[in-house]
Amino acid sequence: MSRDVLSVTLIAYCFIAVWFVGGLTVFHLYLISTNQTTYENFRYRYDKKENPYTKGIVANFKELSCSKIPKPLINFRQWVAEEEDILDESFTSDLEKGFISSKQKFDMDMGLYGKD
């Protein structure tokens, strides 16, 4: 094997890849067992106090693996009704009037100038 450079390179590459993937796997198993996110682990250390969200190792894995997926709050497959154009004027005519002063507000949806 020492004469074949490609084999040694492939072995070293696979060892490094397995090392990183294995390390990430072990780290995420730890996160699941303590019921934390990565952000919580790095930012809010529970070393000094008890994690209020942990339910125990078995219950944490069970909650992640066996809980039902909640129904989405938004139906992405619903048909959307088209709205008719409210304005007949174009926005360029509004822009030609000049700059908006600091006392006036421009509503992009309505295309109207208003005061505070």
Side-chain angles (χ1 to χ4, degrees):
M1 251 184 4
S2 63
R3 295 181 187 163
D4 192 11
V5 177
L6 185 62
S7 296
V8 174
T9 305
L10 185 62
I11 289 171
Y13 175 77
C14 288
F15 177 76
I16 292 170
V18 167
W19 185 259
F20 284 119
V21 171
L24 282 173
T25 302
V26 169
F27 175 67
H28 283 92
L29 288 173
Y30 164 75
L31 289 178
I32 293 169
S33 66
T34 58
N35 203 8
Q36 294 183 49
T37 62
T38 308
Y39 184 81
E40 287 174 337
N41 186 308
F42 288 120
R43 186 59 92 175
Y44 306 114
R45 296 273 179 182
Y46 293 119
D47 295 337
K48 298 175 185 173
K49 55 186 175 181
E50 186 178 339
N51 182 356
Y53 303 108
T54 189
K55 299 175 183 175
I57 295 173
V58 176
N60 290 339
F61 276 99
K62 186 177 178 182
E63 179 183 5
L64 179 75
S65 304
C66 302
S67 63
K68 291 184 179 181
I69 298 174
K71 293 179 77 175
L73 299 175
I74 300 172
N75 185 5
F76 290 105
R77 297 185 177 262
Q78 181 179 2
W79 289 95
V80 178
E82 288 189 33
E83 296 179 9
E84 296 181 21
D85 289 335
I86 297 172
L87 299 174
D88 292 337
E89 298 178 15
S90 67
F91 286 107
T92 56
S93 65
D94 290 335
L95 295 175
E96 290 172 357
K97 293 178 184 176
F99 292 104
I100 302 171
S101 69
S102 62
K103 294 181 181 178
Q104 294 178 336
K105 290 186 177 179
F106 179 72
D107 188 4
M108 288 295 291
D109 294 332
M110 300 299 290
L112 302 173
Y113 292 100
K115 292 186 180 181
D116 289 322

